[in-house]
Amino acid sequence: MSIIDEILGEKDVEKIRKETEENYREYVNPFAMRMLKNASLDIIEGKREGASVWDISGEKYIDCVTGAGIFNVGRHNPEVVEALKKALDTYDMGGWISIVRERGLLAKKLAEITPGNLKYSLFCCGGGEAIEVAIKLARGHTDKPEIICMNNGYHGVTGFALPATGRDVYKKPFAPLTPGYVHVQYNDLKAVEEAITEETAAVMLEPIQGEGGIIPADDEYLRGLRELCDKNDMLLIFDEVQTAFGRTGKMFCAEHSGVTPDIMVMAKALSGGLYPISAAIFTEEISDFLMTHPFIIINSFGGTSLACLVSLAAIEYLEKNDLPAHAEKMGKRFLKGLATLKDKYPDLILDVRGKGLMLGIEFPEDSIGPRMSYQLRHNGVISIYTFNNPRIIRIMPTLVIKEEEVDFVLDAFDKSLAEIAKQEAKNS
Amino acid sequence: MATSDEIMEALQDFTEQCNNNKRLRRMQRDWTKKLHYVAVDTKDTFSMDVIEGEIVKTAAGTEGTPDIIVEADSETMCDMFWGDINPTQKYLKGEIKVKGTQEDVMRIDAITAVIWPDV
């Protein structure tokens, strides 16, 4: 019997809730626990299935956070779970110095499905770590130190990734940081052009800024960046940690613009929502650096047998069910519904935007994002504002979300907006 | 409805609690802000200057440009400074308005969590 069955079967939800909250307060993070409780986001996850999560009390929610794009194939996808179970019967993680067959199979698959000439993969465990690989490759390949990054961008909080993140709040307490990063305005080609020096190795950006507030890069801007990089012997790095694997309506967000980066970073959904893995995939040209330093970027747990088999199963599921196309269709349904809500609540919704199932709703002031999360929880939807921009609530459900579930979320937004409108009227 | 004097009394008690709490002072040592408080029903205003985690000035009325503006009715404001309510929950219900950055809202939440952990 699993712990979830046991909890639900014993009907001692309050006992488990109290124990979990106490453990969080005493041994995990008391302030985070308090904040989640205050924000009414203290959902203790029990059953997970499809687009939904059940609190241990049995309350069902549509998950519109999904760890910012981890669960593209659905929560606890049975086919991916089966692949992991099968893998566990035969394999352990595999040695990092050994030749692991599954690692080769996944690398080949990634080369097949990524756009352009992206070919070789270096595997790691998390998004920040894969960003570090991309930066090391760019510096190693070009023998130049500077990386041009974007204001408001988010690339993780590890050593080489943190300075690339475009917001001081993440960086200030940890100074001094690794030098060599220049930040410019997103979607501004001229700003990049002006920042280029003889020391510039690469330009790195998210094709849609996620934490920054769901801001898509213009196709023309991306094409301009590609030209600038080619002209100035610099590399173009796409951080597709949140946008990859069907999230935006294409397998990779880069496909919308037709621009292929020299290095693409992926994580989150590569895990199938079950086993941590991330990767930086790069062109043959860049691999020259690794020819002379084949073991200079290594780790113990990147691309384990279990992780690779899970990734392969998740990609197979995405392809078999054409989830990128489904994401595009459901995204359009969301956008249509949100446009109606924008007309209904013109003082509360400033903008709705995004691609596929990576959508953002912008409100006129910071407080409304957290307040909407609070209301949405009480209307059956788990949501969160973007940390870089609390005016934006993100909608990033699993890609297996059904039409009726999209409509449920839209109805929850309607009810939540009505409540906020009532509060605003009372306070004005 | 709370009077201006009642709010000021609560604000001074709050100030004393903050400044006497060593843990809080250490936690907020990088926080320098000017806060304005507005009681929306009585139109009374108050100000608070925080320098590196220490409240160096509280006063009735406002001066200068604030980093953060907190708005609530006078009763809620009084309750907030006495620790009789959970201000974050009131904020999320729209009963307390905070104009400032989300980081500052989180700082205010952390301050109340240290002073009144059970509220």
Side-chain angles (χ1 to χ4, degrees):
Chain A
M1 183 184 282
S2 75
I3 188 168
I4 293 167
D5 294 333
E6 194 183 332
I7 291 162
L8 295 174
E10 286 179 1
K11 293 183 181 173
D12 58 354
V13 168
E14 282 318 303
K15 185 181 158 201
I16 299 295
R17 179 174 296 284
K18 198 169 165 231
E19 177 200 80
T20 306
E21 288 179 3
E22 275 176 14
N23 285 340
Y24 257 66
R25 259 195 292 270
E26 290 297 316
Y27 306 111
V28 181
N29 187 331
F31 292 109
M33 181 67 233
R34 182 185 158 103
M35 287 181 73
L36 288 171
K37 204 167 176 61
N38 277 338
S40 211
L41 287 170
D42 53 334
I43 294 161
I44 301 177
E45 291 196 353
K47 183 182 163 188
R48 310 112 205 244
E49 184 182 291
S52 301
V53 171
W54 283 255
D55 184 89
I56 53 164
S57 63
E59 199 76 28
K60 184 183 174 184
Y61 300 92
I62 303 287
D63 181 3
C64 281
V65 178
T66 62
I70 293 173
F71 303 104
N72 286 13
V73 294
R75 300 298 308 258
H76 198 248
N77 181 295
E79 291 183 31
V80 184
V81 168
E82 201 49 45
L84 179 57
K85 280 183 182 169
K86 211 170 143 192
L88 281 167
D89 286 340
T90 311
Y91 302 106
D92 58 13
M93 293 200 290
W96 68 267
I97 193 69
S98 318
I99 304 293
V100 174
R101 178 174 177 255
E102 300 73 42
R103 196 175 296 152
L105 287 172
L106 179 60
K108 183 183 177 199
K109 184 69 187 174
L110 291 177
E112 284 168 1
I113 63 172
T114 46
N117 298 322
L118 295 169
K119 187 176 179 188
Y120 294 99
S121 286
L122 257 167
F123 294 108
C124 329
C125 295
E129 203 186 343
I131 290 286
E132 301 216 3
V133 168
I135 290 167
K136 285 179 179 175
L137 283 174
R139 287 181 171 175
H141 173 73
T142 61
D143 206 20
K144 294 188 282 190
E146 275 181 17
I147 311 290
I148 298 175
C149 313
M150 302 299 145
N151 291 337
N152 216 27
Y154 183 86
H155 301 286
V157 290
T158 54
F160 278 88
L162 180 59
T165 291
R167 201 153 182 242
D168 285 345
V169 68
Y170 293 107
K171 301 190 276 191
K172 207 175 155 193
F174 307 115
L177 304 177
T178 314
Y181 298 77
V182 180
H183 288 83
V184 299
Q185 193 60 33
Y186 192 66
N187 264 333
D188 183 345
L189 194 62
K190 199 159 185 285
V192 174
E193 202 169 1
E194 286 169 357
I196 294 170
T197 71
E198 286 183 355
E199 295 297 298
T200 307
V203 179
M204 182 166 77
L205 75 162
E206 303 151 277
I208 298 179
Q209 286 193 330
E211 296 296 328
I214 314 294
I215 304 169
D218 300 332
D219 288 349
E220 200 181 325
Y221 168 68
L222 293 177
R223 285 192 279 270
L225 284 181
R226 180 70 273 174
E227 279 174 26
L228 272 183
C229 287
D230 291 342
K231 198 171 126 191
N232 292 281
D233 199 20
M234 308 179 316
L235 301 182
L236 183 59
I237 305 171
F238 279 0
D239 175 345
E240 289 234 22
V241 166
Q242 292 193 17
T243 50
F245 301 107
R247 170 60 56 191
T248 67
K250 304 269 186 201
M251 189 59 98
F252 296 95
C253 192
E255 294 169 52
H256 288 285
S257 62
V259 172
T260 309
D262 301 291
I263 306 173
M264 184 192 281
V265 176
M266 55 188 81
K268 295 201 186 280
L270 183 61
S271 70
L274 277 181
Y275 205 101
I277 182 169
S278 62
I281 185 165
F282 47 96
T283 60
E284 190 160 9
E285 193 187 358
I286 295 167
S287 73
D288 288 352
F289 170 70
L290 291 179
M291 290 283 283
T292 45
H293 306 87
F295 296 109
I296 203 167
I297 305 175
I298 51 173
N299 64 54
S300 301
F301 300 130
T304 62
S305 293
L306 299 180
C308 290
L309 287 167
V310 163
S311 295
L312 284 163
I315 293 167
E316 188 185 339
Y317 190 88
L318 282 162
E319 287 181 324
K320 191 174 71 183
N321 295 284
D322 202 3
L323 289 186
H326 182 69
E328 188 183 16
K329 193 176 161 198
M330 293 302 103
K332 282 181 179 161
R333 194 176 183 90
F334 262 122
L335 284 173
K336 193 176 165 199
L338 291 169
T340 306
L341 290 175
K342 186 173 180 285
D343 291 341
K344 190 171 174 183
Y345 303 98
D347 295 337
L348 284 181
I349 298 181
L350 288 187
D351 190 24
V352 292
R353 56 177 177 258
K355 281 180 178 158
L357 286 172
M358 187 167 182
L359 303 171
I361 304 167
E362 183 166 359
F363 304 110
E365 60 173 272
D366 282 8
S367 78
I368 297 181
R371 286 161 66 193
M372 276 297 288
S373 286
Y374 182 88
Q375 293 299 330
L376 283 163
R377 188 256 158 104
H378 293 286
N379 287 307
V381 172
I382 304 174
S383 69
I384 189 76
Y385 54 88
T386 62
F387 288 134
N388 280 8
N389 191 343
R391 289 179 186 211
I392 316 286
I393 282 269
R394 70 168 92 203
I395 300 179
M396 290 182 72
T398 72
L399 308 192
V400 300
I401 193 168
K402 296 173 185 154
E403 284 185 359
E404 58 268 29
E405 291 169 325
V406 171
D407 295 343
F408 178 89
V409 174
L410 288 167
D411 186 52
F413 264 91
D414 194 359
K415 287 174 183 161
S416 302
L417 286 160
E419 178 57 33
I420 302 276
K422 207 165 88 184
Q423 291 171 2
E424 293 297 289
K426 191 180 161 195
N427 294 328
S428 64
Chain B
M1 193 180 287
T3 65
S4 177
D5 287 347
E6 284 169 337
I7 296 173
M8 197 59 211
E9 190 188 348
L11 180 58
Q12 279 166 348
D13 183 78
F14 175 75
T15 300
E16 206 170 304
Q17 286 205 54
C18 288
N19 284 346
N20 290 339
N21 192 311
K22 282 184 184 169
R23 185 183 179 204
L24 187 62
R25 291 278 297 277
R26 193 174 61 246
M27 284 167 64
Q28 303 295 339
R29 66 187 181 278
D30 61 340
W31 205 54
T32 295
K33 297 283 172 182
K34 184 182 272 292
L35 293 93
H36 284 179
Y37 296 92
V38 180
V40 289
D41 52 344
T42 62
K43 310 293 178 204
D44 288 319
T45 58
F46 307 86
S47 62
M48 176 187 280
D49 291 352
V50 183
I51 296 178
E52 294 174 355
E54 183 185 5
I55 302 174
V56 296
K57 184 183 172 188
T58 51
T62 56
E63 59 180 38
T65 309
D67 302 295
I68 305 156
I69 303 171
V70 181
E71 294 176 348
D73 66 49
S74 57
E75 199 69 45
T76 304
M77 193 161 285
C78 217
D79 289 347
M80 178 175 72
F81 290 131
W82 283 125
D84 291 338
I85 55 166
N86 182 316
T88 306
Q89 284 178 2
K90 293 280 182 189
Y91 166 73
L92 288 164
K93 288 176 182 167
E95 293 174 38
I96 294 175
K97 291 262 188 163
V98 182
K99 291 173 185 166
T101 67
Q102 195 59 19
E103 286 87 68
D104 288 329
V105 173
M106 285 162 74
R107 289 291 185 123
I108 293 169
D109 187 51
I111 291 167
T112 61
V114 171
I115 299 180
W116 307 302
D118 299 323
V119 175

